[in-house]
Amino acid sequence: MAMISLPVFILIILLQLFRFPERLSRIIPSIKAVLLGAFFWLSQMVAMFFSYTKTGESQLTSGIVHSGILLFGWTLAVYIAWAVLQVTINSEEDEKKFIKSGLIGLICYLIFVIFPQLLVTFHFTKFNLYVNDLASLFEQRWRSFSGYDFNASGAYSLSQNRINGFEPEASYLANLLGIAYLPILIGVTVGGQKIWRFLRDAKYQVFINSLFTLVVVFVLVLAKTTTGILIAIVAYLLWIFWAKGKLKRALIITLVIGLLGLTIAYTNVHLIHQLLNQFLFAKQNTDNRLGGSIGLALTFLNHPLIGVGSGFTSFYTIQNVPISATHNFEFQQVYSQYGFPILSEFLGWMASFGLVIMLPAFWLLARLIMKSFLVQKKVISLNATKIDQNWASSMHVSFITMVILVAFSSIFIIRVYLWPYLLMFFFYRKHIMRLEEELQ
């Protein structure tokens, strides 16, 4: 479905412009945005040119033409994600519809994709055919090599006994659920939002949304990936931090009971003991992640200003990987021959783009975060009757939670240029800008 997102979003933009021609001005980038985009492209083209003169045509890099095409694709995705929200989200009511539709989509995803995969991992073989058939249509798959095939038995969940939700690996599912959806759920539960019309009592709304959030947290743990377990822990602690009153007490009590139960299970249940050891306490086979991170850090330190260019980090990472981290099958038979992937996103950004791009990017993000806090403070202090303070507070919590979880996940792998993350970022940005305009 990700493949048809671009034409679908363009169609939505055209349809909205046909209905509301006056909204055309909303999707014309400002002079500042155009200049920033031009500066980004110039910097990257210079970095890629210098890297290309050193690497030449190598299987370890994307090549200057292919890298340029990918960079154009990312630029277009950023613009379309921004533009589609500019012409569709124009009021608080639109925002609530957007969030509700996203949660309904998540429910369908859990029921028809995640839970069947979960049952398969617990050896309910009746779902094997269903999971395999859906995976053959929708599952993203890495290139396979001899001794390195995540889909040897068809679907990833059947081959690896882990759920992935049709993402390439379980860790990508953890990022999708933990960063695109969990912040929303945390925000609506903390704010006591009335999302579901069939529940008239506010207490039931909080209960159902809290239960929904806990289901997602459990899925993150059961995905059997270090990323999922750590995101679940960080998100739950943030949930406790933001919560107030009875919800906060209930979450703390649940945490205490959960820790006691987990401690007992860890010492008595082999499956739990093995799961926590394999993906948390005694994780094995981390040579490539550690070695790749060191390689990226050294690449950035050697090219701190403009980086090495998008698509060229692999060549330099292999040069800088410590020898002690190369004595494994994955490095020798795959990474050293076909390219070393970015296994630490933050270091990948620094190595690819350098300080000349990353410092302005961090500054723009910091400004948006500060603006979110200032707007939230004004909404409360002015007691603005035309603005739903509860909704503003919920979205503020969701946005800050998402930023923290993205920062945490960037230690590992997170493809922030994908549609779910771009759409959610620009949704929160649009919300902050709308509030700022209404307060003025």
Side-chain angles (χ1 to χ4, degrees):
M1 300 300 290
M3 295 180 184
I4 65 169
S5 296
L6 182 63
V8 167
F9 289 147
I10 291 174
L11 185 62
I12 290 172
I13 292 170
L14 293 175
L15 179 62
Q16 288 294 87
L17 292 178
F18 177 77
R19 295 173 63 206
F20 310 103
E22 71 278 3
R23 294 183 183 178
L24 177 62
S25 60
R26 298 181 185 180
I27 63 169
I28 299 175
S30 65
I31 297 298
K32 184 186 291 185
V34 172
L35 290 175
L36 283 172
F39 177 73
F40 168 79
W41 265 88
L42 178 62
S43 172
Q44 276 295 278
M45 293 308 294
V46 170
M48 287 191 288
F49 173 76
F50 280 119
S51 290
Y52 183 74
T53 59
K54 184 173 182 180
T55 66
E57 291 294 334
S58 170
Q59 195 165 357
L60 299 178
T61 73
S62 299
I64 195 164
V65 175
H66 191 221
S67 294
I69 293 171
L70 287 175
L71 203 61
F72 173 77
W74 298 345
T75 306
L76 182 63
V78 168
Y79 172 74
I80 294 297
W82 170 76
V84 75
L85 289 170
Q86 287 291 105
V87 297
T88 54
I89 306 293
N90 299 285
S91 66
E92 185 180 294
E93 184 182 358
D94 291 339
E95 292 175 2
K96 290 181 177 179
K97 288 179 180 178
F98 178 86
I99 292 297
K100 185 175 181 179
S101 66
L103 293 179
I104 291 172
L106 175 58
I107 291 171
C108 295
Y109 186 50
L110 290 171
I111 292 173
F112 296 108
V113 179
I114 301 299
F115 289 153
Q117 287 190 352
L118 188 59
L119 291 171
V120 163
T121 64
F122 284 104
H123 308 294
F124 284 83
T125 55
K126 291 182 179 180
F127 288 89
N128 285 12
L129 182 61
Y130 171 81
V131 169
N132 239 338
D133 286 346
L134 277 186
S136 67
L137 294 172
F138 298 113
E139 191 165 77
Q140 297 183 63
R141 301 189 177 187
W142 298 129
R143 182 179 178 183
S144 61
F145 307 94
S146 177
Y148 185 83
D149 186 0
F150 288 154
N151 305 92
S153 302
Y156 177 95
S157 51
L158 288 170
S159 303
Q160 304 298 316
N161 199 35
R162 299 160 70 189
I163 59 176
N164 70 327
F166 300 148
E167 294 290 325
E169 295 182 48
S171 59
Y172 292 93
L173 170 67
N175 280 327
L176 175 65
L177 294 179
I179 290 166
Y181 290 107
L182 256 188
I184 296 173
L185 287 166
I186 290 172
V188 298
T189 55
V190 168
Q193 294 301 316
K194 296 179 181 179
I195 299 294
W196 317 109
R197 290 183 180 178
F198 63 90
L199 295 172
R200 295 186 178 181
D201 194 319
K203 291 186 293 185
Y204 292 128
Q205 292 271 354
V206 173
F207 175 77
I208 291 297
N209 287 328
S210 297
L211 191 62
F212 195 177
T213 309
L214 287 172
V215 167
V216 175
V217 169
F218 280 124
V219 169
L220 287 174
V221 174
L222 294 173
K224 299 180 183 177
T225 171
T226 306
T227 304
I229 295 172
L230 293 176
I231 287 179
I233 292 171
V234 174
Y236 195 89
L237 293 176
L238 288 170
W239 193 13
I240 292 175
F241 173 78
W242 291 116
K244 297 178 181 178
K246 292 181 180 179
L247 178 60
K248 193 182 195 79
R249 290 193 292 272
L251 291 174
I252 293 173
I253 291 170
T254 302
L255 177 63
V256 172
I257 294 173
L259 287 175
L260 288 174
L262 196 61
T263 302
I264 295 170
Y266 180 73
T267 54
N268 294 279
V269 181
H270 175 71
L271 181 64
I272 301 298
H273 183 89
Q274 184 183 32
L275 173 68
L276 292 177
N277 274 355
Q278 183 177 356
F279 297 105
L280 196 60
F281 299 137
K283 184 174 173 62
Q284 303 293 317
N285 302 320
T286 58
D287 286 350
N288 286 322
R289 184 176 296 278
L290 179 60
S293 298
I294 293 172
L296 286 169
L298 292 174
T299 299
F300 164 67
L301 291 174
N302 289 325
H303 306 82
L305 190 59
I306 62 172
V308 298
S310 178
F312 286 86
T313 56
S314 174
F315 176 85
Y316 295 94
T317 300
I318 290 173
Q319 286 189 330
N320 293 317
V321 167
I323 295 176
S324 59
T326 64
H327 304 302
N328 61 83
F329 172 84
E330 197 170 36
F331 179 87
Q332 295 174 356
Q333 302 300 320
V334 182
Y335 292 169
S336 63
Q337 297 182 38
Y338 301 99
F340 204 114
I342 293 174
L343 299 178
S344 175
E345 208 70 36
F346 174 77
L347 291 173
W349 299 335
M350 300 301 289
S352 297
F353 305 125
L355 293 174
V356 74
I357 289 176
M358 292 308 297
L359 286 180
F362 288 142
W363 168 242
L364 291 173
L365 177 60
R367 282 185 61 189
L368 187 62
I369 293 170
M370 289 187 288
K371 188 173 290 188
S372 181
F373 277 101
L374 289 172
V375 166
Q376 177 63 17
K377 186 178 179 181
K378 284 184 180 180
V379 168
I380 296 172
S381 63
L382 294 177
N383 194 23
T385 55
K386 291 184 179 180
I387 297 175
D388 187 339
Q389 295 183 34
N390 223 19
W391 179 252
S393 177
S394 294
M395 292 302 97
H396 171 71
V397 166
S398 295
F399 172 58
I400 300 302
T401 301
M402 179 183 174
V403 170
I404 294 172
L405 290 176
V406 168
F408 177 78
S409 294
S410 69
I411 300 171
F412 309 106
I413 304 173
I414 174 172
R415 299 180 295 176
V416 293
Y417 51 83
L418 295 183
W419 293 116
Y421 311 124
L422 292 176
L423 288 171
M424 288 314 303
F425 173 77
F426 286 118
F427 168 79
Y428 293 127
R429 182 182 180 276
K430 178 72 173 175
H431 166 76
I432 294 167
M433 297 303 177
R434 179 187 65 80
L435 278 183
E436 188 176 43
E437 289 177 7
E438 291 185 10
L439 286 170
Q440 289 175 352

